[in-house]
Amino acid sequence: MKDIVSSPPPIVRNQFEAVRELFSKNVVPSYGRFDLAFSHGAGSNLFDVAGKRYLDLGSGIAVCSLGHAHPAITEALVEQSRKLVHVSNLYYTEPQGRLAAALAQRIGPGKVFFANSGGEANEGLFKLARKFGHDEGRFEILTAENSFHGRTLAGIAATGQDKVKKGFEPMVSGFRHIPFNNLEAARKAISPATVAIMIEGVQGEGGVMPAKPEYLLGLRALCDEKKLLLLMDGVQCGHFRTGRFQSFQRILENVGQASRLSQTSNVKDGDRRDASPMFLPDGLSMAKSLGGGFPIGAFWVRAPFADLLGPGTHATTFGGTPLACAVGLKIIEVIEREKLAENARARGDFFTAELSRLGKKYPGVIADVRGLGLMVGFELKPDLAKLPGDATKSQSIRFVKLLHAAGVLTIPAGANVIRLLPPLNLRRDEAEEGLQILESVIAKIEA
Ligand SMILES: *Cc1c(COP(=O)(O)O)cnc(C)c1O
């Protein structure tokens, strides 16, 4: 192939400092980064610039659902980019229509809008809610304490954590926070201006906190009664991570199965992907795993509200490019063909069971273990005396660094929670390797 521009001088391998220097000179320092620079990956493994291998139990924060350098993703990217990368939403393209159909088929009757990130998908849902309530003068959206909904201006107003708001006041108005998993508090918080409630099915940044089935069902009834939209942020907990396409389907599956069994005589396993007839949110945002690493976001809106955002009301230049949607379609195809939702469930059960066992063996270190599928969190006891590292940093960050040294990548959440968000195709032996390394680190700091 002919070189159009000459390639830049290669960064010498084994030179983490050189990469960091580029960042300190040129990249806005808005992230607290770990001292690791990666050069390539394969499956559930990542390799840093010095060639050290890491087992990736974080998947780039629940994004790389098929691991790294998956040939199906590469192939979809190459194949589609040979045909068409982008044309704008002035026109129709088949991949966008097909991905919208694939998502709606797995959620419920409704339509899909494509964006480029989770924050942008949530912005769309906020605008949908405002449009819905506009003529009645309703605009207020209730979100949960400890929630996370993105870093845009409305996203930080919606996020129920002070640390994301600090320094960016005044907040976008029209958001208030309610305690999570508390139905009575939600009912009490509703004002004449309230138009929607938004929650995560499993709070991610908030420390892996799943919604209770009765909370979801109660919010649905409450929103129906008060004419509110029930919005769910499925950016992190969605896309098969919990063992079903969306977390609410997993959370409600026993309730749902009972009701389905009473309606139909022969429920086959293949019907599980069908939307639960008894519960649907009115809007649902997606991103992270949706593109397996290729940036794409989306929101689904339930049929009665699907045409609220008419022509000219909402737009984004890159939303739903044929390239992004071809990748999205391929990922769903691979996940379903290789039964990776079932794998997520099995590997997740393994991690939660084994971590609970470690919790009993090392009661001085582990305070709690929570999870659904491959969204697993374990909480450290506060004030771990034997936890080394910079004491100005949180325990979760210091623990994650110990795991780095031992060759495993995980994601901190809050001050004390360690999150495991591995690729959905993590193998049993890889899960066992990860657990062994986790135990070796936990054992060292048990008092
Ligand atoms: C990551 C995340 C977002 C924000 O997504 P971006 O793609 O970073 O904008 C929103 N909500 C939840 C639950 C998330 O985990």
Side-chain angles (χ1 to χ4, degrees):
M1 215 164 62
K2 199 174 72 169
D3 271 358
I4 297 164
V5 280
S6 59
S7 28
I11 294 162
V12 184
R13 269 179 69 84
N14 223 353
Q15 293 262 329
F16 167 73
E17 284 306 330
V19 177
R20 182 158 64 181
E21 180 81 356
L22 281 173
F23 273 64
S24 61
K25 285 209 178 107
N26 304 295
V27 178
V28 170
S30 67
Y31 299 93
R33 295 178 200 267
F34 293 108
D35 285 346
L36 292 173
F38 291 106
S39 70
H40 61 288
S44 298
N45 290 308
L46 270 174
F47 298 86
D48 70 13
V49 289
K52 177 176 168 184
R53 179 180 76 92
Y54 297 80
L55 180 67
D56 186 5
L57 300 183
S59 329
I61 321 183
V63 168
C64 304
S65 46
L66 299 182
H68 300 281
H70 194 288
I73 295 184
T74 307
E75 200 184 300
L77 280 167
V78 170
E79 209 177 290
Q80 181 60 44
S81 64
R82 282 209 179 100
K83 283 191 263 182
L84 196 61
V85 171
H86 171 89
V87 291
S88 90
N89 285 300
L90 292 170
Y91 314 102
Y92 297 92
T93 59
E94 190 185 337
Q96 183 177 145
R98 285 181 51 217
L99 183 57
L103 297 175
Q105 189 202 332
R106 286 159 184 78
I107 303 166
K111 292 181 182 173
V112 176
F113 177 92
F114 288 102
N116 304 285
S117 68
E120 197 192 350
N122 284 337
E123 288 281 334
L125 288 181
F126 303 149
K127 282 181 71 176
L128 177 86
R130 287 219 173 172
K131 195 82 168 48
F132 172 67
H134 187 263
D135 293 348
E136 298 168 344
R138 297 193 294 152
F139 58 88
E140 186 184 65
I141 300 170
L142 305 179
T143 64
E145 290 168 4
N146 275 321
S147 60
F148 183 79
H149 298 300
R151 297 290 198 139
T152 60
L153 271 182
I156 59 174
T159 293
Q161 304 186 45
D162 287 341
K163 66 181 182 199
V164 306
K165 305 177 195 266
K166 234 177 108 193
F168 299 105
E169 299 87 350
M171 284 295 108
V172 170
S173 60
F175 292 93
R176 268 194 300 131
H177 308 310
I178 52 178
F180 190 56
N181 269 331
N182 183 335
L183 192 59
E184 251 338 279
R187 175 178 289 278
K188 283 206 190 99
I190 294 167
S191 81
T194 307
V195 74
I197 299 178
M198 175 183 271
I199 59 155
E200 294 157 85
V202 184
Q203 289 189 336
E205 305 303 306
V208 189
M209 303 293 290
K212 296 196 174 91
E214 56 274 21
Y215 185 56
L216 291 183
L217 296 175
L219 282 184
R220 181 64 278 174
L222 182 61
C223 287
D224 288 342
E225 180 193 327
K226 304 282 186 186
K227 289 188 144 182
L228 312 179
L229 295 183
L230 177 57
L231 307 177
M232 293 189 75
D233 181 337
V235 169
Q236 185 165 151
C237 58
H239 226 65
F240 305 100
R241 181 154 291 280
T242 60
R244 294 287 294 266
F245 185 56
Q246 291 298 325
S247 65
F248 68 83
Q249 296 164 339
R250 171 80 204 260
I251 292 167
L252 294 171
E253 69 184 359
N254 294 328
V255 191
Q257 254 162 24
S259 113
R260 262 200 301 279
L261 280 169
S262 66
Q263 286 165 17
T264 46
S265 49
N266 57 340
V267 178
K268 298 186 298 287
D269 210 42
D271 295 339
R272 291 167 128 223
R273 77 148 76 122
D274 292 344
S276 162
M278 45 156 345
F279 176 94
L280 278 176
D282 298 312
L284 169 78
S285 56
M286 296 161 260
K288 290 202 164 88
S289 293
L290 186 55
F294 195 86
I296 178 171
F299 68 79
W300 165 92
V301 47
R302 195 164 68 85
F305 312 105
D307 294 334
L308 264 176
L309 292 173
T313 58
H314 193 47
T316 176
T317 300
F318 289 127
T321 66
L323 187 59
C325 292
V327 174
L329 281 162
K330 181 57 76 179
I331 288 167
I332 293 177
E333 182 195 314
V334 173
I335 287 176
E336 293 189 341
R337 188 179 62 224
E338 298 183 358
K339 301 203 180 336
L340 297 183
E342 287 81 347
N343 192 63
R345 191 182 285 253
R347 294 292 95 84
D349 287 350
F350 169 81
F351 275 123
T352 39
E354 288 297 297
L355 283 166
S356 301
R357 181 178 64 76
L358 295 185
K360 294 200 187 81
K361 193 167 167 190
Y362 305 101
V365 180
I366 296 180
D368 194 22
V369 177
R370 300 182 287 270
L372 267 186
L374 277 179
M375 195 166 176
V376 178
F378 61 95
E379 191 168 339
L380 303 172
K381 285 265 166 77
D383 306 318
L384 291 171
K386 288 174 73 180
L387 182 61
D390 178 356
T392 65
K393 296 277 195 288
S394 70
Q395 291 205 131
S396 56
I397 287 177
R398 283 147 66 198
F399 193 91
V400 163
K401 282 188 178 178
L402 287 186
L403 289 171
H404 288 168
V408 170
L409 303 176
T410 58
I411 316 278
N416 289 308
V417 177
I418 312 297
R419 262 179 301 173
L420 309 184
L421 303 162
L424 305 183
N425 55 3
L426 188 78
R427 296 191 315 257
R428 167 114 199 173
D429 62 301
E430 292 170 328
E432 283 165 356
E433 181 197 3
L435 189 85
Q436 241 169 39
I437 297 174
L438 282 170
E439 176 164 8
S440 72
V441 169
I442 290 167
K444 259 185 242 155
I445 55 173
E446 171 78 5

